[in-house]
Amino acid sequence: MSGSETRKQSSVWRLVAPIRGRLIAACGVQALASVAGLVPFIAVVEITRALWVAEDPGAALTWAGIAAGALALRLICIMLAATLTHFADADLQLDLRRQMAARLSKAPLSWFTKTNSGALKKGVQDDFTAFHDIVGHAFTMIVGAACVPIGVLIYLAYVDWRLPLAALVPVAIGGGLMASQMRGQGEKMKEYDAAMARVNAAAVEYVSGIGVIKTFSGTGRAFDRFLERGNAFFDDFWNWVKEVLTVSALMELTLSPPAAITFASGLALLLSSQGIFAPIEGFALVALAPLLTQPFMALAFAQHNFQQAAQAGDRLSALLDTPVLPQPDNETELAGYGVVFENVTASYDGHRDVLRDINLVLEPGTTTALVGPSGSGKSTIARLLPRFLDPKSGTVSIGGVPVTMLPAEQLYRSLGFVFQDVRLLRGSIRDNLAIGAPNADFAEITAATRLAHIHDRIAALPRGYDSEIGKDAILSGGEAQRLTIARALLADPPILVLDEALAFADAETAAALRTALAQWSGNRTLLVVAHDLTSITHADQICVLEEGRIVACGSHSELLATEGLYARLWAATEREEAA
């Protein structure tokens, strides 16, 4: 076994470790079920022996009773084994999903931007299905497939030591064909999973970008690209199948029950006619031969499941090992809620710096606005505060304490943020608003929504604040943004970050929101990212960014007087308004 295959198998064992005891118990019960399932076939031989050779009807009735009891025991054991594995699988999936949610919630934002959406979807959804197959079925299937041939060989050896040798001939042929078929399948399965991830990514990208695609009349071209990836996957898969098709067909034919019976019948007739075997021994070979070959097909399917689970285990383990932003366990007392960026350099990929030597102070009770051309680093500064990204060098501190030294709960109590890319959870309007303030009463909730100019829209919904997002609450981009502003105001953080938070609001609503935020801010610290310069002329300080650096800071009038980049941006804004 190669090093990569060993690593993947170890991933499987690592993931199933919490339920290993129950799996072992289920496998033990399944072994008993397999032995019990073998008894009726043995009973057929012994009943034939009792009636044909010994002429003992009483012994035949005894064996019939034993067979009936064994069948009942087999049914009970199969149901018990399935119950054990499926309950274990449900507990394991719940535990793994919780671990994954907790892990990914601590991952830096840059990790999500670098991770393929199709691969992530495969990891958090499809791979759990592969693990259901292995936990719920494959382990017990392998035990059952192993116990039956062993039991058959033991019984045949009891009847005549030469019978197992005769019975193993088709097994040896089929086993050799199976080994030939399985050679190199681990790498093929890896290629298959990679191709499937590419198809998933193409599907996600096509669906998520359909609005843009239709706007620019690119539906046909985009769909063609999706089809190309699908066709490439089909071609690769068909080439793989063609390589093993002949060997697989021969293997299934050799190990099939009809082939086993045919071979055993011919061999039994030949050897018994020559006096080597007694007829009853030849009958034992014919009756039990299918049980010796059929489990090998189950082993082949189980091996396939294990290969899939090995790949899935590797991906799940990688997700569970996703690098996270380190957090301390204990809270630290803050000396107020002033914010300081000191010599901050930041990078999303660890190579290209998007911010360089940022020094910035946000005093409590003031509003700081960040402006500059697209790509200058405004949003990156905003994302450093909630630790969606940590600085490559330098520190970002709140109340004199670096944000890296604050536990997440304390950090997010101190900080609220509203970004242009709005995210609402599947649930009621009330639940979405109360995420940051779960104990808020209805009066506090409505006060926040009135301040954010969204109360009337919510009240007009079929179930008001109990309306469900995406179901009976279909909100426009501007309405959703105002809802997130209300959510941030309800949490009442001492620091609020607004990154293009009014981008989707019309001019009248945006002006009303700016007035409301100015009244609400009081002694709170506000950091505002804006493209519309007319919306931040009231800010206590405006910082101008260019190519990841702060090139100027001051009030609106001070920056206009310098006739620098801000003055040029303001002149461009006035020309646009005049046009």
Side-chain angles (χ1 to χ4, degrees):
M1 182 178 291
S2 68
S4 61
E5 289 175 338
T6 301
R7 187 176 65 254
K8 290 181 174 65
Q9 293 294 341
S10 65
S11 296
V12 173
W13 297 123
R14 167 199 169 188
L15 294 173
V16 301
I19 59 166
R20 195 173 294 168
R22 282 184 281 176
L23 286 179
I24 292 172
C27 289
V29 174
Q30 182 62 47
L32 182 58
S34 300
V35 173
L38 180 60
V39 170
F41 291 88
I42 295 174
V44 170
V45 178
E46 295 303 326
I47 289 171
T48 303
R49 187 194 305 276
L51 295 177
W52 182 14
V53 179
E55 297 182 356
D56 185 356
L61 287 174
T62 300
W63 274 106
I66 292 173
L71 284 174
L73 177 62
R74 179 177 183 272
L75 177 61
I76 293 171
C77 289
I78 287 176
M79 294 175 63
L80 179 58
T83 300
L84 286 171
T85 57
H86 281 76
F87 272 96
D89 174 62
D91 290 344
L92 178 65
Q93 290 212 26
L94 178 61
D95 182 56
L96 289 178
R97 289 180 188 276
R98 283 175 171 170
Q99 288 184 48
M100 191 172 295
R103 188 78 181 186
L104 295 183
S105 69
K106 299 174 183 177
L109 182 65
S110 56
W111 181 87
F112 291 95
T113 60
K114 291 186 292 185
T115 302
N116 180 287
S117 56
L120 184 58
K121 176 258 182 188
K122 186 172 180 62
V124 300
Q125 181 174 319
D126 300 351
D127 289 337
F128 280 101
T129 301
F131 249 75
H132 166 75
D133 291 337
I134 191 174
V135 173
H137 306 282
F139 283 108
T140 51
M141 186 186 300
I142 288 174
V143 169
C147 287
V148 170
I150 292 172
V152 168
L153 291 174
I154 291 173
Y155 175 72
L156 289 178
Y158 165 77
V159 173
D160 188 301
W161 67 270
R162 293 166 295 186
L163 288 176
L165 300 177
L168 285 173
V169 173
V171 173
I173 297 172
L177 292 170
M178 180 182 293
S180 174
Q181 181 199 32
M182 300 307 296
R183 192 176 299 118
Q185 293 301 294
E187 286 303 315
K188 289 292 185 181
M189 183 60 66
K190 184 177 181 180
E191 294 172 8
Y192 170 88
D193 286 331
M196 182 59 75
R198 289 193 293 270
V199 172
N200 282 336
V204 171
E205 290 164 4
Y206 178 74
V207 172
S208 61
I210 192 66
V212 175
I213 292 168
K214 286 191 172 186
T215 300
F216 292 95
S217 303
T219 308
R221 293 190 299 275
F223 187 65
D224 287 343
R225 286 195 297 272
F226 171 66
L227 284 181
E228 285 174 8
R229 295 189 188 181
N231 290 334
F233 168 77
F234 175 80
D235 291 339
D236 291 341
F237 181 71
W238 176 238
N239 290 332
W240 177 21
V241 170
K242 283 193 297 184
E243 289 178 8
V244 299
L245 191 58
T246 302
V247 174
S248 178
L250 288 173
M251 179 194 71
E252 293 190 27
L253 177 62
T254 305
L255 296 175
S256 66
I261 292 173
T262 301
F263 176 82
S265 298
L267 189 61
L269 286 172
L270 175 64
L271 298 179
S272 55
S273 65
Q274 295 179 0
I276 298 175
F277 289 160
I280 189 61
E281 295 168 345
F283 178 67
L285 179 63
V286 174
L288 274 71
L291 297 182
L292 196 61
T293 58
Q294 188 177 13
F296 280 85
M297 294 305 301
L299 284 173
F301 285 117
Q303 171 68 12
H304 177 72
N305 286 341
F306 263 99
Q307 286 179 339
Q308 286 188 315
Q311 299 289 340
D314 213 32
R315 287 188 295 270
L316 289 174
S317 294
L319 287 175
L320 291 171
D321 292 335
T322 299
V324 298
L325 294 173
Q327 297 179 9
D329 296 325
N330 300 318
E331 294 193 3
T332 303
E333 185 175 353
L334 302 178
Y337 291 98
V339 176
V340 176
F341 292 77
E342 185 176 2
N343 300 322
V344 170
T345 296
S347 171
Y348 285 101
D349 58 11
H351 301 291
R352 189 180 71 86
D353 294 338
V354 293
L355 292 177
R356 302 174 190 85
D357 301 321
I358 299 298
N359 289 281
L360 179 62
V361 177
L362 283 62
E363 297 288 353
T366 65
T367 297
T368 298
L370 303 178
V371 301
S374 296
S376 58
K378 304 183 298 296
S379 293
T380 302
I381 290 180
R383 280 163 167 73
L384 287 169
L385 261 177
R387 293 197 70 194
F388 285 4
L389 177 72
D390 272 350
K392 182 178 175 181
S393 62
T395 59
V396 180
S397 60
I398 296 175
V401 179
V403 293
T404 55
M405 300 299 295
L406 297 176
E409 186 176 349
Q410 183 182 14
L411 176 62
Y412 295 129
R413 277 202 315 268
S414 308
L415 177 69
F417 44 89
V418 180
F419 294 139
Q420 182 177 357
D421 187 16
V422 175
R423 288 289 184 266
L424 298 176
L425 303 180
R426 197 47 100 154
S428 70
I429 295 282
R430 189 193 304 265
D431 290 341
N432 270 273
L433 287 166
I435 288 174
N439 298 320
D441 58 31
F442 188 66
E444 291 171 324
I445 290 174
T446 54
T449 56
R450 290 180 189 279
L451 198 59
H453 292 266
I454 192 63
H455 169 74
D456 292 343
R457 175 69 177 95
I458 297 172
L461 292 171
R463 291 188 292 147
Y465 283 79
D466 293 321
S467 300
E468 186 175 340
I469 298 293
K471 188 176 181 181
D472 50 359
I474 309 299
L475 304 179
S476 68
E479 291 166 346
Q481 206 163 45
R482 277 181 275 156
L483 190 68
T484 60
I485 292 174
R487 181 168 63 189
L489 298 180
L490 181 62
D492 196 23
I495 303 169
L496 182 61
V497 179
L498 302 174
D499 185 357
E500 290 295 333
L502 308 181
F504 296 121
D506 58 76
E508 183 178 351
T509 302
L513 281 170
R514 285 194 293 271
T515 301
L517 286 170
Q519 295 172 349
W520 171 84
S521 59
N523 63 349
R524 299 174 180 86
T525 305
L526 264 65
L527 177 63
V528 180
V529 176
H531 281 94
D532 179 9
L533 300 189
T534 61
S535 67
I536 47 86
T537 55
H538 65 286
D540 297 287
Q541 68 171 337
I542 301 171
C543 295
V544 186
L545 281 91
E546 185 176 21
E547 296 182 352
R549 297 180 185 274
I550 295 178
V551 295
C553 272
S555 66
H556 173 67
S557 57
E558 290 171 344
L559 291 172
L560 285 180
T562 63
E563 298 184 357
L565 176 58
Y566 182 81
R568 295 195 298 273
L569 293 173
W570 180 259
T573 299
E574 289 183 324
R575 286 195 298 271
E576 289 177 4
E577 290 184 347

